[in-house]
Amino acid sequence: MSGEEFIKGLISVLNMNAQVNIDENDNYIKINIGGGNAGDLIGYRGECLNAIQYITSIVENERSGSRKKVILDIENYRARREDTLKNLAHRMENKVKKTNKSVRLEPMSANERRIIHTELQASESVATLSK
């Protein structure tokens, strides 16, 4: 079973009216799900989306025997989340400048932490640290 077949089967089992678009090359497989109630698969802060991506990656790489990166997105959630995190980074930067006190953010995935760190790395007024 391929990753595409897995996703289409999942959508079918859940009786979702959604479309699946695949973009594949030698290094990765991008799977985009849209339409209907596909947004229900995102979950809180993308937790369900990340879990489905992980399982799809296992299914795809077991079938093919290769190590292709699987990127799953639902209704452009990943781009919207990235914008939200960048805005959060700048709001927290301004808060730190005003109060001169450190700010602790909620736990995040490695990818989300990377977005925050990258967004603030050029800042001369704040430094970031992950624990």
Side-chain angles (χ1 to χ4, degrees):
M1 173 184 291
S2 71
E4 178 180 3
E5 292 168 336
F6 173 75
I7 292 294
K8 287 181 178 178
L10 178 65
I11 288 171
S12 175
V13 166
L14 295 174
N15 293 321
M16 301 181 89
N17 184 20
Q19 296 78 39
V20 177
N21 296 313
I22 307 290
D23 179 22
E24 183 174 359
N25 69 21
D26 292 337
N27 301 320
Y28 65 83
I29 299 170
K30 287 185 181 178
I31 303 172
N32 292 299
I33 303 173
N37 53 346
D40 294 345
L41 293 176
I42 296 171
Y44 179 73
R45 301 275 164 89
E47 288 176 348
C48 290
L49 172 61
N50 290 334
I52 295 168
Q53 176 178 294
Y54 177 71
I55 295 168
T56 306
S57 177
I58 291 170
V59 168
E60 177 63 34
N61 289 316
E62 283 292 320
R63 176 195 67 89
S64 66
S66 67
R67 300 298 297 161
K68 285 187 178 182
K69 181 173 177 80
V70 174
I71 303 165
L72 177 64
D73 198 6
I74 299 173
E75 295 180 349
N76 206 26
Y77 171 79
R78 296 209 185 270
R80 292 191 326 261
R81 180 70 175 152
E82 183 173 342
D83 289 342
T84 299
L85 290 169
K86 287 179 178 180
N87 289 332
L88 173 65
H90 290 291
R91 283 196 323 269
M92 293 302 105
E93 177 184 26
N94 291 334
K95 183 176 181 178
V96 167
K97 285 179 187 177
K98 283 182 183 178
T99 64
N100 203 25
K101 293 183 180 179
S102 64
V103 174
R104 181 175 288 198
L105 301 177
E106 66 187 41
M108 297 180 189
S109 69
N111 185 52
E112 290 178 335
R113 288 193 308 273
R114 181 192 54 77
I115 292 167
I116 298 286
H117 290 300
T118 302
E119 193 65 19
L120 294 177
Q121 81 182 43
S123 175
E124 295 179 8
S125 55
V126 298
T128 61
L129 172 69
S130 289
K131 288 188 177 183

